[in-house]
Amino acid sequence: MHSSRFRSFAAKAIGVVLMTATLSTQAQSQKIVIAHRGASGYLPEHTLQAKAMAFAMGADYIEQDVVMTSDDHLIVLHDITLDRTTDVAERFPDRVREDGRYYAIDFTLAEIRQLQASEGFRIENGEKVQSYDNRFPMGESIFGVPTLAEEIELIQGMNKSTGKNVGIYPEIKGPEFHREAGKDISTAVVRMLKSYGYTSKQDKVFLQTFSFEELKIIHDEILPAVGIDINLVQLIDRVSSNPWMFEEDGMNKLSTFADGIGPDKGLVVSRDSQKANIQVSDLVTRAHAAGLQVHPYTYRLDPGQVPAYADSYEDLLELHYFRANVDGVFTDFPDRAVDFLRNR
Ligand code: G3P
Ligand code: CA
């Protein structure tokens, strides 16, 4: 081939390869990593330190579970009780309810600020036993329970200082529990999101809840009343979700109210799967057909947490992101998911 024609042919070939690579990267870059309670595999869940680490690891979204204090402050805490992840039992022993639990809603923010947060633990024979014993050691260093405002300011501040645009992914915890106590937690969260500039579906926020009744209230009443229109996600599990969600037109019905679903990952790939027989459900297909994004939870690599049907955490991600075609995953180990998507 003449040398100039060869150069032209080579340039075109390289262009095609580069274009293919770019398209491939774009297709994969649409898949997202959600840091579940922050980089909670490495630092105590829902602490600002775990959120900063998740940000630095390249997560696309960082999750906040939200509950309310007695004086109506929004705090970032997974449980409606404080006793699994703080030293509340030692600091306020007389504030226990009859069921043996310490409810965040019984404490003021000033009181919650006196607590130290730690890795999650359970009590066995009167002793604290860390739930994931390979994770950050309980009782080391110092951590607190942040407010939702403090956490949003941390993420928005890092967005400014790094030029990134990492999103937030708040979950309304125990909406009925809060309503029974006279607190409209969803309106408080939606107002706060608006005050921090999250107002449209183009803004990087997904608001999630397990309660379909609450999702409907948020969609039909709260968002219009507050004057914003943000992405909503219905969390789904086999135990607590309404049976109609699993019926043929369940996803279509849901799409009237939600932009996405967050299913237990066992609803996407059956826990009964074996390496030679991976059972992918039709949930993702049905959700996508209804225009819903799919962000399952929770992907962990602690001992015993990778299902037996997967060879490794990365194999698990491969099966869920690409065999089952989910759009994002909630993971305690966002660095490994970010690396997986970048390297694939
Ligand atoms: O919100 C997604 C996932 O976090 C749901 O499970 O119990 O960790 O809030 P949970
Ligand atoms: Ca959650």
Side-chain angles (χ1 to χ4, degrees):
M1 191 184 292
H2 191 277
S3 64
S4 65
R5 282 178 60 204
F6 175 77
R7 277 198 298 275
S8 163
F9 170 80
K12 279 180 188 159
I14 289 167
V16 168
V17 169
L18 285 176
M19 199 166 74
T20 306
T22 305
L23 287 173
S24 163
T25 306
Q26 281 171 353
Q28 291 186 18
S29 69
Q30 289 163 8
K31 296 196 183 283
I32 62 169
V33 176
I34 306 148
H36 180 249
R37 311 182 199 175
S40 55
Y42 304 102
L43 281 163
E45 66 181 54
H46 284 322
T47 59
L48 291 181
Q49 291 89 335
K51 304 308 170 77
M53 190 173 194
F55 190 105
M57 286 175 160
D60 300 291
Y61 286 81
I62 299 175
E63 192 203 23
Q64 303 77 32
D65 293 309
V66 184
V67 304
M68 222 172 197
T69 65
S70 64
D71 50 349
D72 295 345
H73 289 277
L74 297 169
I75 58 172
V76 181
L77 188 74
H78 178 267
D79 307 351
I80 57 173
T81 49
L82 290 154
D83 32 293
R84 183 180 61 85
T85 54
T86 77
D87 58 353
V88 66
E90 288 102 298
R91 292 193 185 251
F92 296 97
D94 58 336
R95 303 285 287 280
V96 67
R97 285 198 193 181
E98 278 182 1
D99 62 1
R101 310 303 301 269
Y102 297 80
Y103 287 79
I105 208 167
D106 295 338
F107 292 79
T108 64
L109 179 60
E111 289 169 335
I112 286 170
R113 289 206 188 283
Q114 297 172 41
L115 304 177
Q116 286 192 26
S118 71
E119 267 297 315
F121 60 87
R122 61 187 181 278
I123 304 292
E124 278 182 14
N125 302 321
E127 299 290 322
K128 289 181 179 179
V129 179
Q130 193 165 325
S131 300
Y132 291 103
D133 62 7
N134 54 311
R135 293 191 178 185
F136 193 91
M138 219 168 49
E140 301 288 323
S141 194
I142 186 155
F143 304 95
V145 177
T147 65
L148 180 59
E150 288 163 352
E151 179 156 337
I152 293 174
E153 288 174 18
L154 177 79
I155 293 167
Q156 291 194 342
M158 291 189 291
N159 277 341
K160 179 167 188 294
S161 60
T162 64
K164 288 187 178 180
N165 186 19
V166 172
I168 62 171
Y169 211 126
E171 178 184 346
I172 309 286
K173 282 294 184 189
E176 292 86 4
F177 169 83
H178 284 91
R179 284 190 187 285
E180 280 167 21
K183 296 191 185 300
D184 181 355
I185 182 173
S186 296
T187 294
V189 169
V190 169
R191 282 194 185 134
M192 178 159 289
L193 294 178
K194 183 180 183 183
S195 75
Y196 280 101
Y198 301 98
T199 59
S200 77
K201 290 186 189 294
Q202 281 66 54
D203 293 317
K204 288 196 74 175
V205 59
F206 288 95
L207 180 60
Q208 47 166 341
T209 177
F210 273 102
S211 165
F212 173 71
E213 291 68 29
E214 194 70 13
L215 184 88
K216 198 166 175 303
I217 293 171
I218 293 169
H219 178 272
D220 291 349
E221 300 171 27
I222 299 176
L223 291 181
V226 176
I228 67 173
D229 184 24
I230 56 174
N231 294 301
L232 300 179
V233 167
Q234 172 70 58
L235 298 172
I236 299 177
D237 66 23
R238 212 22 119 173
V239 179
S240 68
S241 296
N242 309 45
W244 61 258
M245 288 183 195
F246 303 101
E247 292 170 3
E248 191 61 35
D249 62 345
M251 293 297 109
N252 275 330
K253 281 186 188 166
L254 208 47
S255 67
T256 307
F257 307 98
D259 302 279
I261 58 168
D264 181 311
K265 67 181 185 300
L267 294 172
V268 172
V269 175
S270 167
R271 289 194 167 80
D272 296 332
S273 292
Q274 294 164 340
K275 286 182 186 177
N277 180 24
I278 302 297
Q279 298 173 39
V280 179
S281 79
D282 64 356
L283 183 65
V284 178
T285 305
R286 287 194 291 112
H288 283 169
L292 296 167
Q293 297 182 59
V294 184
H295 301 157
Y297 61 87
T298 303
Y299 297 73
R300 301 182 168 107
L301 55 83
D302 309 87
Q305 293 294 316
V306 175
Y309 63 74
D311 288 329
S312 63
Y313 176 75
E314 280 71 19
D315 187 37
L316 178 69
L317 294 180
E318 173 72 28
L319 290 170
H320 284 246
Y321 270 125
F322 295 102
R323 178 92 72 101
N325 198 25
V326 305
D327 304 289
V329 304
F330 284 89
T331 177
D332 294 0
F333 299 88
D335 56 334
R336 296 276 291 263
V338 168
D339 285 350
F340 168 79
L341 288 177
R342 278 187 188 146
N343 294 334
R344 191 174 183 279

